[in-house]
Amino acid sequence: MENIAGREGSFFEVDLSLLKENFKKLQKIAPKKKIIFMVKANAYGHGAIPVVEYCVTELGIREFGVATIGEGLELRYNLEDLEFEIYLFSEFDLKNKKHIERVLDKRLIPVISNFNDLKLFIENPQFKYFPLFLKFNTGMNRLGISSEECDEVVKYLKANDRTEIFHLCSHFACSSQSYKNKSNQRQNETFKNIKAKFESDGLKILNSSLSNSGAIEQNLGMEETHIRPGLMLYGPSSLIDSIRNTSPWKGKIISVLKAQVLKKTQMKKGDPVGYGATPLPCSGTLLIIALGYGDGFSTLYQSVELSCGEAIGKVAGRVNMDMAQIIFPEGSTNLPEVGEIFNVWDHNPESLYRISSQRGTITYELFCEIGQRVPRVYKKS
Ligand SMILES: *Cc1c(COP(=O)(O)O)cnc(C)c1O
């Protein structure tokens, strides 16, 4: 297909065979667990359609989590022939006829996260045979039925002859911090109590899940039937810098952000570059790359170090809409020529961690911010 609104030379390359490698590694550290793969936000920027297609056809993953109805519809419209479940984690309105119609027609299973929605769901005969997926708030205080409402929920379900819960889940607030963290321990315990309450009152829980990437990496909440990884399958560890080395997770980044070199010049320390005429911090080789904030290559990349083989350069001056400048100190070798490609990051997670820590952000955001102008290109080798 012709790329009619995007870039030509710079692109976001996704190697799906590395997704397979990561999946195999995940199965090793979480044996026998069923997986709900989180593919919200366009599969964390990687392209939800090709990612889900690959997961269903090549990896046998059949359950996916999205945030919005639109994300669910995009998958259904484009992958009509494939069989898989879609769970809708946050944005839907069970009073809205159009939402209800789409949810039913396209089988987007809503994750019920408050008592009101539970009533709308149970009291609507159209949902009589639809799976009941419940999410409890165990301490994050975002979405989720309050754990204090547990008794009432149980009573309500029994009164309405709903004795089977398709899936019961909750979500950790601090799983990227140590599992020993009080909040992690408390949430884990609260969830176990909710589950026990359901079961002791005769409600059958068919499936349950608690662990996102950080929790999986720390073997936290892993007593459930399912896990819900997102980030780790795209490569990075979810743990904060200071405890990352405790993680058994050795994923490879499945993507490389590739920028075409537009110009390569020798410059002197103090020479002005770009908007604002920022003086260069050192003499050396200046690369102008075809990525800017119009591509999601944020102005916050200014002064961030980027490597190229052995050489370490620095984003020099302001990032502009279409381009950015990188200065490599004198003596740097094997730099790309004009027309060739510079890798902002590569499959080695360290290249991504350096950027996220120097930018003061998280790897999640580095993926999600990549703009629409950057074509996603897929390979499977
Ligand atoms: C995004 C999300 C996940 C996955 O989180 P990661 O940290 O990317 O593994 C799991 N569960 C829910 C409810 C989510 O919204």
Side-chain angles (χ1 to χ4, degrees):
M1 203 176 60
E2 204 135 20
N3 174 28
I4 54 171
R7 287 198 172 275
E8 284 298 327
S10 298
F11 54 101
F12 187 52
E13 184 179 81
V14 178
D15 186 344
L16 293 168
S17 68
L18 293 179
L19 180 58
K20 182 191 264 182
E21 264 186 40
N22 289 345
F23 176 63
K24 294 253 149 81
K25 284 180 193 161
L26 175 60
Q27 286 179 310
K28 282 221 177 92
I29 67 168
K32 301 207 186 90
K33 293 293 162 201
K34 289 191 227 162
I35 286 176
I36 298 175
F37 183 20
M38 300 306 290
V39 294
K40 60 202 183 196
N42 198 26
Y44 293 38
H46 295 72
I49 299 164
V51 164
V52 169
E53 180 178 34
Y54 184 80
C55 286
V56 175
T57 58
E58 302 285 323
L59 308 181
I61 300 176
R62 303 241 174 255
E63 295 174 276
F64 299 89
V66 300
T68 73
I69 291 185
E71 290 174 349
L73 292 179
E74 185 193 29
L75 292 175
R76 285 289 185 241
Y77 290 151
N78 288 282
L79 301 171
E80 269 180 338
D81 299 335
L82 299 182
E83 264 184 55
F84 57 93
E85 295 286 21
I86 300 175
Y87 307 126
L88 199 51
F89 273 87
S90 47
E91 202 199 62
F92 55 83
D93 175 3
L94 294 182
K95 293 187 295 303
N96 181 323
K97 279 216 171 71
K98 194 139 227 162
H99 283 198
I100 295 172
E101 197 181 291
R102 285 170 162 166
V103 158
L104 286 165
D105 185 43
K106 295 296 172 193
R107 197 176 163 87
L108 310 176
I109 297 172
V111 176
I112 307 291
S113 303
N114 62 69
F115 210 150
N116 268 342
D117 278 350
L118 178 62
K119 288 176 180 159
L120 289 167
F121 185 88
I122 298 291
E123 283 156 31
N124 184 341
Q126 291 174 289
F127 287 124
K128 187 155 181 210
Y129 300 106
F130 220 61
L132 178 58
F133 197 132
L134 294 180
K135 180 172 174 189
F136 270 86
N137 171 21
T138 51
M140 187 179 193
N141 296 334
R142 198 173 60 176
L143 300 184
I145 301 169
S146 159
S147 55
E148 270 109 62
E149 290 176 306
C150 183
D151 290 354
E152 217 183 318
V153 166
V154 166
K155 217 185 285 167
Y156 174 78
L157 289 173
K158 284 169 76 172
N160 285 279
D161 293 325
R162 272 277 191 167
T163 52
E164 213 170 75
I165 315 301
F166 169 69
H167 197 117
L168 188 76
C169 83
S170 187
H171 194 52
F172 283 115
C174 301
S175 67
S176 56
Q177 294 164 43
S178 168
Y179 68 96
K180 294 182 204 148
N181 178 312
K182 277 211 181 75
S183 137
N184 284 329
Q185 293 296 328
R186 217 178 294 130
Q187 283 196 269
N188 197 15
E189 209 175 290
T190 305
F191 188 68
K192 301 307 183 260
N193 291 339
I194 292 170
K195 236 175 59 181
K197 170 76 188 159
F198 270 69
E199 279 164 347
S200 70
D201 278 18
L203 296 182
K204 196 163 164 200
I205 296 169
L206 299 179
N207 303 287
S208 58
S209 64
L210 190 51
S211 309
N212 51 358
S213 295
I216 297 164
E217 288 179 63
Q218 303 190 83
N219 206 30
L220 173 67
M222 299 290 281
E223 300 77 18
E224 314 304 328
T225 58
H226 283 67
I227 53 178
R228 299 192 312 273
L231 188 72
M232 66 196 304
L233 282 174
Y234 304 101
S237 161
S238 177
L239 304 191
I240 52 174
D241 292 1
S242 56
I243 58 164
R244 193 179 293 129
N245 63 357
T246 66
S247 176
W249 184 242
K250 300 282 174 272
K252 281 204 190 120
I253 308 302
I254 70 168
S255 62
V256 180
L257 179 56
K258 291 179 171 274
Q260 190 169 43
V261 175
L262 298 174
K263 189 179 171 193
K264 182 179 187 182
T265 42
Q266 296 309 310
M267 301 287 280
K268 287 265 175 301
K269 181 176 176 176
D271 285 348
V273 289
Y275 284 120
T278 311
L280 286 175
C282 63
S283 301
T285 306
L286 188 73
L287 301 182
I288 310 293
I289 62 167
L291 270 187
Y293 62 77
D295 305 290
F297 189 81
S298 160
T299 56
L300 299 172
Y301 270 94
Q302 181 162 356
S303 299
V304 166
E305 288 174 333
L306 300 174
S307 61
C308 181
E310 303 287 291
I312 296 198
K314 211 175 218 202
V315 178
R318 285 193 212 155
V319 172
N320 57 77
M321 194 181 292
D322 307 310
M323 286 169 269
Q325 307 84 222
I326 310 170
I327 184 73
F328 283 89
E330 274 167 352
S332 302
T333 53
N334 294 322
L335 299 178
E337 299 301 326
V338 172
E340 292 181 346
I341 295 292
F342 173 78
N343 294 339
V344 175
W345 66 71
D346 56 32
H347 298 303
N348 180 354
E350 296 304 326
S351 66
L352 201 70
Y353 299 149
R354 175 163 57 206
I355 297 170
S356 63
S357 86
Q358 292 191 6
R359 271 243 344 238
T361 183
I362 47 179
T363 55
Y364 296 81
E365 188 176 13
L366 298 180
F367 292 146
C368 286
E369 71 190 1
I370 297 169
Q372 283 213 326
R373 184 162 66 176
V374 184
R376 272 63 173 169
V377 173
Y378 298 90
K379 61 177 200 178
K380 296 186 183 178
S381 72

